[in-house]
Amino acid sequence: MKYTENITGININVQAVDISIEDDVKDTIRKCIGRLSRFYDKIEWADVYLEDKKEKKTEQKQVSIRLGIPGNDPFASEYGNNFHALLTSVSDKLQRQLEKR
């Protein structure tokens, strides 16, 4: 499933591999990107990649986010079992990267 939207000038591209995205996960994505835009106002786009590997016993889900900003693009990824917790964790990692700029 691919999903794209524009929030406050940031083009958010979400790609979910072989899964559908629930509205609550979309809301969490919006909140995370919105929170990041407060720390760095030159974010042009965000690529969000969601994957659920059902064949794995633990840490089935993966979330990766790459932000399009001038210069090197910050990237963070995390494995776990809950998309909401993973999105928050990845967002925190990206926030630390943006604060270093």
Side-chain angles (χ1 to χ4, degrees):
M1 171 184 182
K2 287 188 178 185
Y3 160 70
T4 302
E5 77 175 284
N6 193 313
I7 298 177
T8 63
I10 300 171
N11 191 26
I12 300 174
N13 303 307
V14 179
Q15 182 177 4
V17 178
D18 298 331
I19 56 173
S20 61
I21 303 171
E22 302 294 327
D23 287 337
D24 57 337
V25 175
K26 290 179 184 178
D27 288 340
T28 304
I29 292 169
R30 287 183 199 107
K31 288 177 187 173
C32 289
I33 301 301
R35 189 175 66 136
L36 288 170
S37 70
R38 286 185 265 152
F39 290 98
Y40 196 83
D41 62 351
K42 296 178 182 167
I43 299 173
E44 297 172 8
W45 50 264
D47 286 340
V48 181
Y49 179 80
L50 306 169
E51 187 174 10
D52 190 356
K53 298 179 181 180
K54 298 189 185 319
E55 69 274 0
K56 290 180 71 177
K57 298 284 185 208
T58 59
E59 296 187 341
Q60 295 177 340
K61 295 173 176 35
Q62 176 186 4
V63 171
S64 302
I65 300 177
R66 180 178 310 278
L67 298 177
I69 62 173
N72 294 334
D73 296 339
F75 175 81
S77 183
E78 187 77 39
Y79 293 90
N81 293 316
N82 182 310
F83 278 129
H84 299 285
L86 292 172
L87 284 163
T88 302
S89 176
V90 169
S91 175
D92 291 342
K93 288 180 179 182
L94 289 169
Q95 178 182 335
R96 287 191 293 275
Q97 291 179 40
L98 291 173
E99 286 174 346
K100 290 179 183 179
R101 292 183 178 251

